C-alpha cells in the first residue's frame, strides 16, 4: 500500500476486555515497530520485529501485551484484560531493515478503556 | 544504555525569528539520526536525517539540523519560523547495528506566536 495502515482508528472498550490492534506496513518493509503515546506525550517503545521474529520486545509493559507478525507483513498487537492505564494512542511504523533509512508511521489507533 | 535527550519540553518563538530545538544522544558506535514532526491528531512525519558526510543536513519545510559529533548533538533549526511550524518534534537515533529499534527522545512542543 501507499503507507502504513492501522485499524481500527479508534477503539473504545470496557475494562477487562481483550483488544486487537492491526498494522499493515509498507510493502517490502521488513522492520516493524510498535510504540505507545499517551496524551500527546513521548513515544514509549513496545516491540520491534525483524521479519516475523521479534529481536526486541523489551518494551511490552506486562504479560497482558503480546504481538505477532505473520508472513513478514501484517502485525497484530493484542492487549488482554485491558486496564484504564492502557488508554493511549498505539502507533505502528515500518522501515527497510537498512538502519540508515527512516521509518514511516501509521495514523495510530486511539484506545480508550472505560 | 542508549538514549536520546530533548532537554526542552516546550520552545516558544515569535514568527519570523530563528528557532532551535535541541537534541543530544548517547549510543555506542556511529548512529543514524532523525527528526520527526507530529501535527495535532496526526501520526509522525519524517523531517530529515543524518547518515554521514556534511554535518548540516536539510529537510522538509525549510528545516535543517546540525550534527556535532564531539558534543553528541543533533539540533534542529530553521532560520525563520512560521506559525504553521507549531507541532511536537521528536529526535530519534537508530544505532549502527542492523537489528535495532529506533530510540526516540521525549519530544519538544514548538509554539510559534504570530
Amino acid at each position: 500500500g501507499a503507507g502504513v495502515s492501522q485499524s481500527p482508528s479508534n477503539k473504545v472498550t470496557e475494562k477487562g476486555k481483550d483488544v486487537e490492534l492491526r498494522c499493515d506496513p509498507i510493502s517490502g518493509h521488513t522492520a516493524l515497530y510498535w510504540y505507545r503515546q499517551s496524551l500527546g506525550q513521548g513515544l514509549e517503545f513496545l516491540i520491534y520485529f525483524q521479519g516475523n521474529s521479534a529481536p526486541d520486545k523489551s518494551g511490552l509493559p506486562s504479560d497482558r501485551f503480546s504481538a505477532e507478525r505473520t508472513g513478514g507483513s501484517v502485525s497484530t498487537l493484542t492487549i488482554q484484560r485491558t486496564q484504564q492505564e492502557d488508554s493511549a494512542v498505539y502507533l505502528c511504523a515500518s522501515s527497510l531493515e537498512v538502519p540508515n533509512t527512516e521509518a514511516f508511521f501509521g495514523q495510530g489507533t486511539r484506545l480508550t478503556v472505560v | 544504555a542508549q538514549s536520546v535527550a530533548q532537554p526542552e519540553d516546550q520552545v516558544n518563538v515569535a514568527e519570523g525569528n530563528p528557532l532551535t530545538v535541541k537534541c543530544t544522544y548517547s549510543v555506542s558506535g556511529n548512529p543514524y539520526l532523525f527528526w520527526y514532526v507530529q501535527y495535532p491528531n496526526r501520526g509522525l512525519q519524517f523531517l530529515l536525517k543524518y547518515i554521514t558526510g556534511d554535518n548540516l543536513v536539510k529537510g522538509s519545510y525549510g528545516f535543517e539540523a546540525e550534527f556535532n559529533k564531539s558534543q553528541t548533538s543533533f539540533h534542529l533549526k530553521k532560520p525563520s519560523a512560521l506559525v504553521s511550524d507549531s507541532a511536537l518534534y521528536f529526535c530519534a537515533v537508530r544505532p549502527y547495528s542492523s537489528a535495532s529499534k529506533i530510540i526516540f527522545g521525549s519530544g519538544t512542543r514548538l509554539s510559534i506566536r504570530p
Side-chain angles (χ1 to χ4, degrees), chain B residues 77-89:
Chain B
K77 300 181 180 183
K78 187 172 182 180
S80 179
L82 299 173
V83 172
S84 58
D85 293 331
S86 299
L88 188 56
Y89 290 80

Side-chain angles (χ1 to χ4, degrees), chain B:
Chain B
Q2 302 181 104
S3 63
V4 177
Q6 292 181 245
E8 302 153 316
D9 290 336
Q10 175 130 3
V11 171
N12 300 306
V13 177
E15 187 175 30
N17 283 359
L19 69 87
T20 299
V21 182
K22 296 179 181 178
C23 172
T24 59
Y25 64 91
S26 174
V27 296
S28 55
N30 296 319
Y32 300 112
L33 298 158
F34 305 84
W35 276 100
Y36 290 83
V37 59
Q38 186 178 36
Y39 297 102
N41 301 312
R42 302 290 299 276
L44 273 73
Q45 298 177 34
F46 167 75
L47 268 183
L48 51 79
K49 66 182 176 182
Y50 173 81
I51 300 174
T52 187
D54 193 347
N55 289 342
L56 185 66
V57 294
K58 296 185 183 297
S60 307
Y61 311 121
F63 283 93
E64 57 191 29
E66 185 169 13
F67 171 65
N68 187 316
K69 186 173 183 178
S70 62
Q71 297 185 4
T72 61
S73 67
F74 189 54
H75 301 330
L76 182 69
K77 300 181 180 183
K78 187 172 182 180
S80 179
L82 299 173
V83 172
S84 58
D85 293 331
S86 299
L88 188 56
Y89 290 80
F90 290 96
C91 181
V93 61
R94 193 170 182 186
Y96 187 76
S97 167
S98 63
S100 62
K101 64 189 179 189
I102 303 173
I103 303 165
F104 283 86
S106 56
T108 297
R109 190 165 299 280
L110 179 62
S111 178
I112 310 300
R113 61 183 182 275

Side-chain angles (χ1 to χ4, degrees), chain A residues 5 11-12 16 25 37 39 47-48 55 61 71-72 83 85 95 105 107 111-112:
Chain A
S5 178
K11 176 72 176 179
V12 180
Q37 185 178 33
L39 296 174
I47 189 168
Y48 158 66
Q83 303 295 313
E85 60 263 29
S95 75
F105 280 79
Q107 295 299 301
L111 175 66
T112 303

